[in-house]
């Protein structure tokens, strides 16, 4: 998780008073700047021993665990690098928008509000699910300059038993992706694909052809292809893959974004993998078993929202 935390909160967390706060801090990426380093040095890293000092010392020797906010960055956003409160606001501003601090200083509170910073006062309950870096466990950015291949998301499908794919407009490169990633799912998986397929010439791929190609690589899987019910379809441009109650993979553009072998000419797309659980929301997809069907069926999938 990406956080900013002031010196008083560090001392409090490692005093034994808030074990869950200490647990959150240990694996986090911490934002610092010159003024914060001075504050830590005088209050946490001063002579003596302590778990907070040990933790900070280890972090300072591991650059990948730190986000150093420069004076220039602060000046760009009109934050005073000589002011310790504004330094902590800047740290949060550049590292997840989350500041842990028991400081009741009104100027800090007002400045944090001005910059959209959420403050936890160390004694309030911590909403871990909403903390930065918790919900999205993987992210990839593709464009015409990248040549990413399916392997970057393929491992998420290993042994999955329930897969729902929704993309209204698929191309051959989409189906190539599905073939590549679905051969890693459980051999008896339930696989559902919801798409327009060749309806209104949306694609050259028919539902029957898609089903046959997936069955070829996973012959024992239960593969179903449906058409979205346009009367109830409010997600015209959404593209998602739901993996049981574990993960949701969302595509900002089509699932054809990887392109095809051997060039792998990527197109503009952000792929995000979201953590799910059985307490996550349930999404209803209204689908038709055929283009002549009058009554839709409802396909449920665990979802990020």
């Amino acid at each position: 998780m990406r956080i900013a935390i002031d010196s008083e909160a560090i001392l409090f967390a490692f005093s034994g008073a808030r074990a869950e706060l200490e647990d959150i801090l240990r694996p986090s990426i911490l934002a610092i700047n010159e003024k914060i380093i001075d504050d830590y040095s005088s209050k946490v890293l001063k002579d003596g021993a302590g778990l907070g000092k040990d933790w900070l010392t280890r972090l300072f020797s591991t650059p990948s665990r730190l986000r150093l906010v420069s004076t220039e960055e602060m000046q760009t956003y009109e934050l005073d690098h000589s002011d310790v409160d504004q330094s902590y606001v800047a740290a949060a501003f550049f590292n997840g928008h989350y500041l842990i601090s028991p400081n009741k200083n009104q100027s800090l509170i007002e400045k944090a509000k001005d910059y959209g910073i959420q403050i936890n006062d160390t004694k309030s309950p911590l909403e871990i699910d909403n903390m930065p870096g918790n919900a999205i466990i993987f992210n990839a950015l593709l464009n015409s300059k990248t040549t990413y291949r399916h392997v970057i998301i393929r491992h998420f499908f290993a042994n999955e038993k329930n897969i729902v794919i929704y993309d209204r407009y698929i191309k051959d490169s989409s189906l190539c992706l599905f073939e590549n990633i679905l051969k890693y799912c459980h051999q008896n998986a339930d696989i559902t694909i919801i798409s327009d397929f060749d309806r209104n010439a949306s694609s050259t791929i028919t539902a029957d052809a898609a089903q046959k190609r997936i069955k070829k690589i996973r012959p024992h899987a239960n593969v179903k292809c449906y058409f979205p019910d346009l009367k109830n379809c409010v997600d015209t441009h959404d593209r998602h893959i739901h993996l049981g109650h574990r993960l949701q993979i969302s595509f900002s553009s089509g699932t054809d974004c990887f392109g095809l072998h051997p060039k792998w000419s990527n197109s503009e797309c952000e792929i995000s993998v979201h953590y799910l659980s059985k307490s996550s929301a349930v999404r209803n997809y209204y689908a038709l078993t055929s283009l002549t069907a009058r009554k839709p069926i409802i396909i449920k999938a665990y979802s990020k929202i």
Side-chain angles (χ1 to χ4, degrees):
M1 298 180 185
R2 292 187 174 274
I3 60 169
I5 182 170
D6 72 13
S7 54
E8 297 297 331
I10 291 175
L11 293 172
F12 179 80
F14 288 95
S15 68
R18 289 291 300 277
E20 73 275 23
L21 178 54
E22 179 183 336
D23 291 341
I24 287 171
L25 293 182
R26 289 192 180 278
S28 294
I29 296 174
L30 181 67
I32 58 173
N33 50 43
E34 291 183 2
K35 197 67 176 179
I36 290 176
I37 292 173
D38 290 343
D39 195 42
Y40 287 167
S41 296
S42 64
K43 297 177 182 177
V44 182
L45 298 175
K46 60 185 178 181
D47 293 340
L51 294 176
K53 177 182 178 181
D54 293 342
W55 173 70
L56 268 183
T57 301
R58 286 195 299 273
L59 250 64
F60 283 176
S61 64
T62 313
S64 61
R65 296 282 307 281
L66 299 170
R67 168 56 163 103
L68 179 60
V69 180
S70 69
T71 299
E72 290 73 22
E73 287 177 312
M74 293 184 63
Q75 290 173 339
T76 298
Y77 287 91
E78 300 176 359
L79 287 159
D80 184 0
H81 68 278
S82 67
D83 182 87
V84 67
D85 287 342
Q86 293 197 34
S87 292
Y88 279 117
V89 170
F93 187 68
F94 283 97
N95 198 52
H97 272 245
Y98 199 91
L99 173 63
I100 301 175
S101 172
N103 191 342
K104 300 297 184 181
N105 186 315
Q106 193 61 32
S107 65
L108 171 66
I109 294 172
E110 291 177 358
K111 185 63 70 172
K113 183 178 180 180
D114 289 343
Y115 284 82
I117 306 304
Q118 180 182 355
I119 299 181
N120 181 281
D121 67 3
T122 69
K123 293 183 180 179
S124 299
L126 288 165
E127 297 181 2
I128 297 176
D129 289 349
N130 295 325
M131 291 187 70
N134 181 73
I136 298 178
I137 65 169
F138 175 83
N139 182 264
L141 299 175
L142 284 64
N143 61 32
S144 59
K145 296 181 180 180
T146 62
T147 55
Y148 287 113
R149 303 183 184 189
H150 307 148
V151 67
I152 66 170
I153 60 171
R154 195 170 60 192
H155 57 288
F156 294 118
F157 291 78
N159 271 304
E160 179 54 58
K161 294 185 175 182
N162 194 306
I163 298 145
V164 177
I165 299 172
Y166 179 87
D167 185 350
R168 281 192 61 189
Y169 309 109
I170 64 172
K171 300 179 181 178
D172 189 56
S173 48
S174 304
L175 199 51
C176 178
L177 167 67
F178 302 160
E179 289 174 309
N180 196 306
I181 57 181
L182 293 176
K183 67 183 178 183
Y184 287 86
C185 70
H186 193 276
Q187 63 176 353
N188 298 320
D190 290 317
I191 301 170
T192 301
I193 303 175
I194 306 170
S195 178
D196 275 353
F197 296 106
D198 59 339
R199 174 165 58 183
N200 299 324
S202 298
S203 172
T204 59
I205 299 167
T206 66
D208 184 58
Q211 184 181 42
K212 287 180 178 177
R213 284 178 61 171
I214 300 304
K215 286 289 284 184
K216 187 174 181 179
I217 56 99
R218 266 289 173 253
H220 300 295
N222 178 29
V223 183
K224 301 291 185 182
C225 292
Y226 298 109
F227 299 88
D229 177 27
L230 300 182
K231 293 181 180 179
N232 294 291
C233 179
V234 295
D235 305 314
T236 303
H237 299 293
D238 285 7
R239 301 119 179 143
H240 304 298
I241 301 178
H242 306 264
L243 302 181
H245 62 266
R246 299 184 305 113
L247 303 170
Q248 176 176 332
I249 305 176
S250 296
F251 299 75
S252 65
S253 61
T255 53
D256 63 324
C257 59
F258 288 96
L260 291 166
H261 173 82
K263 291 186 177 180
W264 299 108
S265 299
N266 296 168
S267 57
E268 185 81 24
C269 185
E270 180 174 358
I271 301 175
S272 301
V273 181
H274 298 256
Y275 168 82
L276 300 177
S277 70
K278 285 188 175 180
S279 62
S280 296
V282 174
R283 188 181 188 124
N284 290 333
Y285 287 110
Y286 292 85
L288 301 173
T289 55
S290 70
L291 290 177
T292 58
R294 294 185 178 182
K295 187 176 181 180
I297 62 171
I298 298 176
I299 297 169
K300 296 182 177 294
Y302 284 95
S303 175
K304 61 185 179 182
I305 55 174

